[in-house]
């Protein structure tokens, strides 16, 4: 057979593979959209609203939130497929579908801890009043600011971090919220929580660079396979075992990315749902009557525990006193009595209703906000170790907090499916710019099999560990720095123009996203 015939046959097979993979993804997308639409309709069916405006706001906000995840797919998910594409381990069309599938699985099994960890950065009064005009201004400002910066950096092929961008947007809203009401005692950013989040974003690229470099050097010392450290032959797949290793690392990074990065959009979507249709989404409808009996018993135990530390104090306005503690982090003589009074009220409201899922529509928002503010107060007391609860009392209160969170901090499966589909679709559409940067423009030489495997193994482990602790990290920063680390360790050299651009994007992301979201929040506050 002539060389031309072989080339034509290969091209035909590649074209057929692309059509099949696109067809499979299209079917998957249609099925997922049908699932999301039917379950959203089921959740909204019992809701009785006086006008169509909440539905319009819900639709617009959901589209923007899913648009954020779609753009996130351009950036972060593209990093997961860069190494398998540039080492010819998988054709681009198959790699993207493969990565999208494991992103989807990662999103589905995620805990939600990262999502609610980021939301804790927001001022508490905006969370409690998310259905107000200020709440809508907050959500739209967060999402639009993040989308603008992500699209801009994607256009220039810069692997900017969606996590970094969203956190900057949250800080911008918090700062502007404080500036707009400077004389009212309103709160801004929870800087302690911001510091914890900032540490994970700051140190993860350093970990990626150093650990990937050390892993590559270790592999060279142990695995004496010259082919592992040479530039891949043009269009030739790697040896079978290397190919399996690279596909495995791509799978792991994709799964870890979905379980960590996918949560950010989920948290924002839950804010949108609670703000527009609180009667359907403010409380977890999955908490049945049997679980509710346990909830009431745990609330009574918590109330008795608070009584030990209340020093016979009272509170004239329990919600306001607890909210003041969450805003200022300052314990006053009325804080613990207020927590006890609010806990008694929550237990009474739930007991009267018979189940968390049966709380009357007129009272859903109040019950949810009471639960949320008590949970936040317990979180802060646990960190401050003040009051100094005994070990038994601390365990009882943390069990109560866990029960409260189960009722308020939940993510329906259809939300996870919607986020996963948006991520996957974004990857399918916009992967190439970022993949080219990671594969060609970081080092002076072509990415080798060993470099790709080292960078992705470290990225997979780093993101997985962060997910366990509920901390957001940037897939982009970890993998890009990992590739740079392997280039340095291998003596391949770095393209400093690209490295400078990556550093510039990393440095500018926070201030630009803070300024964008602050300005948009001010504008939307006036418009709404």
């Amino acid at each position: 057979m002539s060389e031309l015939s072989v080339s034509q046959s290969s091209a035909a097979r590649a074209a057929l593979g692309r059509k099949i993979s696109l067809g499979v993804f299209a079917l998957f997308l249609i099925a997922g959209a049908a699932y999301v639409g039917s379950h959203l309709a089921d959740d909204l069916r019992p809701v009785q609203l006086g006008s169509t405006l909440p539905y319009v706001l819900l639709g617009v906000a959901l589209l923007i939130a899913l648009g954020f995840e779609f753009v996130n797919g351009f950036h972060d998910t593209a990093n997961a497929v860069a190494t398998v594409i540039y080492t010819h381990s998988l054709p681009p069309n198959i790699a993207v579908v493969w990565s999208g599938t494991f992103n989807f699985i990662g999103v589905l099994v995620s805990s939600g801890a990262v999502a609610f960890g980021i939301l804790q950065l927001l001022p508490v009064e905006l969370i409690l009043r998310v259905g107000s005009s200020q709440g809508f201004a907050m959500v739209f400002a967060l999402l639009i600011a993040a989308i603008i910066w992500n699209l801009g950096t994607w256009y220039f092929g810069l692997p900017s971090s969606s996590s970094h961008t969203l956190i900057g947007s949250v800080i911008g809203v918090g700062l502007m919220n404080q500036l707009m009401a400077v004389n009212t005692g309103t709160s801004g950013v929870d800087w302690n929580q911001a510091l914890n989040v900032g540490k994970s974003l700051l140190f993860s690229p350093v970990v990626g660079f150093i650990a990937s470099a050390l892993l590559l050097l270790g592999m060279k010392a142990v695995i004496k396979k010259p082919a592992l450290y040479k530039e891949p032959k043009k269009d030739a797949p790697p040896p079978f075992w290397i190919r399996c290793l690279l596909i495995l690392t791509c799978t792991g990074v994709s799964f870890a990315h979905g379980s960590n990065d996918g949560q950010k959009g989920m948290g924002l979507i839950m804010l949108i749902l609670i703000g527009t249709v609180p009667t359907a989404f403010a409380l977890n409808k999955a908490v049945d009557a049997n679980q509710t009996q346990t909830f009431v018993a745990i609330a009574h135990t918590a109330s008795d525990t608070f009584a030990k530390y209340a020093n016979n104090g009272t509170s004239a306005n329990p919600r306001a006193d607890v909210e003041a503690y969450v805003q200022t982090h300052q314990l006053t003589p009325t804080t613990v009595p207020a927590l006890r009074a609010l806990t008694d009220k929550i237990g009474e409201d739930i007991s009267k209703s018979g189940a968390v899922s049966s709380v009357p529509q007129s009272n859903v928002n109040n019950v949810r906000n009471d639960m949320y503010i008590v949970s936040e107060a317990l979180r802060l007391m646990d960190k401050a170790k003040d009051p100094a609860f005994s070990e038994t009392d601390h365990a009882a209160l943390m069990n109560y907090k866990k029960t409260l969170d189960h009722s308020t901090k939940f993510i329906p499966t259809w939300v996870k499916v919607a986020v996963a589909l948006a991520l996957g679709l974004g990857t399918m559409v916009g992967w190439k710019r970022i993949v080219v940067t990671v594969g060609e423009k970081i080092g002076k030489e072509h990415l080798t099999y060993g470099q790709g495997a080292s960078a992705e193994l470290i990225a997979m482990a780093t993101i997985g560990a962060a997910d366990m602790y509920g901390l957001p990290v940037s897939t982009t920063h970890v993998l890009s720095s990992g590739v740079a680390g392997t280039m340095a360790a291998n003596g391949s050299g770095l393209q400093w123009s690209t490295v400078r651009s990556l550093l510039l994007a990393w440095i500018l992301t926070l201030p630009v996203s803070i300024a964008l979201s602050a300005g948009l929040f001010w504008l939307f506050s006036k418009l709404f």
Side-chain angles (χ1 to χ4, degrees):
M1 187 181 292
S2 69
E3 190 174 322
L4 179 61
S5 299
V6 171
S7 176
Q8 289 174 338
S9 177
S10 298
R13 284 198 300 272
L16 179 62
R18 280 194 294 273
K19 289 179 181 177
I20 291 173
S21 60
L22 287 171
V24 169
F25 186 80
L27 289 174
F28 194 66
L29 193 64
I30 292 168
Y35 175 86
V36 170
S38 63
H39 281 74
L40 175 58
D42 287 343
D43 286 343
L44 293 178
R45 193 167 290 119
V47 179
Q48 296 178 351
L49 298 175
S51 71
T52 58
L53 180 60
Y55 293 113
V56 173
L57 285 172
L58 174 63
V60 172
L62 283 178
L63 284 175
I64 297 174
L66 294 175
F68 167 75
E69 288 299 334
F70 177 76
V71 176
N72 188 1
F74 288 4
H75 273 288
D76 291 13
T77 318
N79 289 279
V81 297
T83 54
V84 289
I85 290 174
Y86 268 87
T87 56
H88 312 307
S89 299
L90 286 175
N93 54 303
I94 294 176
V96 171
V97 173
W98 181 266
S99 175
T101 301
F102 282 92
N103 260 284
F104 182 85
I105 296 170
V107 170
L108 287 183
V109 302
S110 61
S111 64
V114 173
F116 294 110
I118 290 177
L119 295 185
Q120 282 168 351
L121 293 172
L122 288 165
V124 65
E125 66 270 8
L126 289 183
I127 296 289
L128 296 179
R129 300 170 184 84
V130 70
S132 67
S133 59
Q134 290 289 90
F136 287 120
M138 169 190 70
V139 170
F140 284 114
L142 287 175
L143 291 169
I144 294 173
I147 289 171
I148 289 171
W149 180 247
N150 278 348
L151 278 176
T153 50
W154 167 82
Y155 180 78
F156 291 104
L158 294 175
S160 173
S161 166
S162 297
S163 305
H164 217 154
T165 306
L166 183 59
I167 287 163
S169 298
V170 168
I171 291 172
V173 165
L175 287 173
M176 182 53 69
N177 181 64
Q178 196 166 22
L179 289 172
M180 289 170 64
V182 70
N183 296 320
T184 64
T186 188
S187 63
V189 179
D190 183 342
W191 289 110
N192 289 327
Q193 181 69 7
L195 184 61
N196 290 333
V197 169
K199 285 178 183 176
S200 65
L201 287 174
L202 177 64
F203 290 116
S204 54
V206 179
V207 169
F209 185 93
I210 296 173
S212 297
L214 292 175
L215 180 57
L216 181 66
L217 293 173
M219 286 174 64
K220 281 188 165 184
V222 175
I223 306 173
K224 306 293 185 178
K225 293 280 186 180
L228 193 59
Y229 314 109
K230 290 182 179 178
E231 180 179 334
K233 295 178 181 178
K234 188 176 182 181
D235 297 328
F240 179 74
W241 72 274
I242 296 176
R243 191 176 194 178
C244 290
L245 174 63
L246 289 164
I247 293 173
L248 176 65
T249 56
C250 168
T251 303
V253 171
S254 300
F255 177 84
H257 173 264
S259 67
N260 189 285
D261 239 64
Q263 294 191 45
K264 301 170 184 69
M266 293 181 210
L268 290 173
I269 287 175
M270 288 311 299
L271 274 185
I272 292 164
L273 293 173
I274 292 166
T276 51
V277 276
T279 52
F281 297 104
L283 294 174
N284 190 353
K285 302 297 184 183
V287 181
D288 58 23
N290 290 332
Q291 291 174 306
T292 300
Q293 289 179 355
T294 305
F295 178 99
V296 173
I298 292 172
H300 286 158
T301 302
S303 176
D304 293 340
T305 303
F306 283 130
K308 298 179 187 179
Y309 300 86
N311 296 322
N312 297 319
T314 58
S315 169
N317 191 337
R319 166 82 78 79
D321 287 339
V322 177
E323 191 172 327
Y325 169 71
V326 173
Q327 290 174 331
T328 64
H329 299 190
Q330 298 296 316
L331 197 68
T332 68
T334 62
T335 302
V336 177
L339 279 168
R340 185 190 182 194
L342 214 51
T343 296
D344 288 338
K345 180 176 179 295
I346 291 168
E348 184 181 346
D349 285 337
I350 299 300
S351 185
K352 281 181 181 177
S353 304
V356 170
S357 57
S358 303
V359 173
Q361 290 190 14
S362 59
N363 201 30
V364 162
N365 245 350
N366 283 330
V367 174
R368 183 253 177 192
N369 285 346
D370 287 345
M371 289 181 174
Y372 184 89
I373 201 72
V374 170
S375 174
E376 283 298 286
L378 287 171
R379 178 180 69 85
L380 295 173
M381 287 178 171
D382 183 43
K383 288 172 64 177
K385 308 300 180 188
D386 185 26
F389 298 114
S390 70
E391 188 174 335
T392 303
D393 292 339
H394 177 267
L397 293 176
M398 288 303 103
N399 187 36
Y400 178 46
K401 181 185 184 304
K402 183 179 177 182
T403 307
L404 291 171
D405 289 346
H406 180 56
S407 298
T408 58
K409 297 179 180 180
F410 64 99
I411 299 173
T413 302
W414 71 261
V415 172
K416 295 183 177 184
V417 172
V419 167
L421 290 175
L423 271 175
L425 188 59
T427 307
M428 289 284 290
V429 173
W431 59 271
K432 196 166 186 178
R433 287 178 185 267
I434 304 299
V435 167
V436 168
T437 298
V438 173
E440 294 182 10
K441 296 182 179 180
I442 293 178
K444 291 182 178 178
E445 297 178 6
H446 197 290
L447 195 71
T448 68
Y449 304 131
Q451 289 172 323
S454 299
E456 288 214 316
L457 277 170
I458 295 302
M460 177 176 67
T462 304
I463 300 166
D467 193 38
M468 287 175 59
Y469 291 100
L471 294 171
V473 293
S474 166
T475 304
T476 302
H477 289 160
V478 175
L479 191 61
S480 298
S481 61
V483 170
T486 62
M487 290 290 176
N490 203 43
S492 304
L494 295 169
Q495 294 192 41
W496 287 106
S497 60
T498 301
V499 172
R500 279 193 296 270
S501 296
L502 292 174
L503 285 171
L504 188 62
W506 185 70
I507 291 167
L508 288 178
T509 293
L510 267 182
V512 171
S513 54
I514 287 172
L516 271 173
S517 67
L520 287 171
F521 180 63
W522 178 86
L523 176 64
F524 292 151
S525 295
K526 302 299 181 185
L527 291 177
F528 283 122

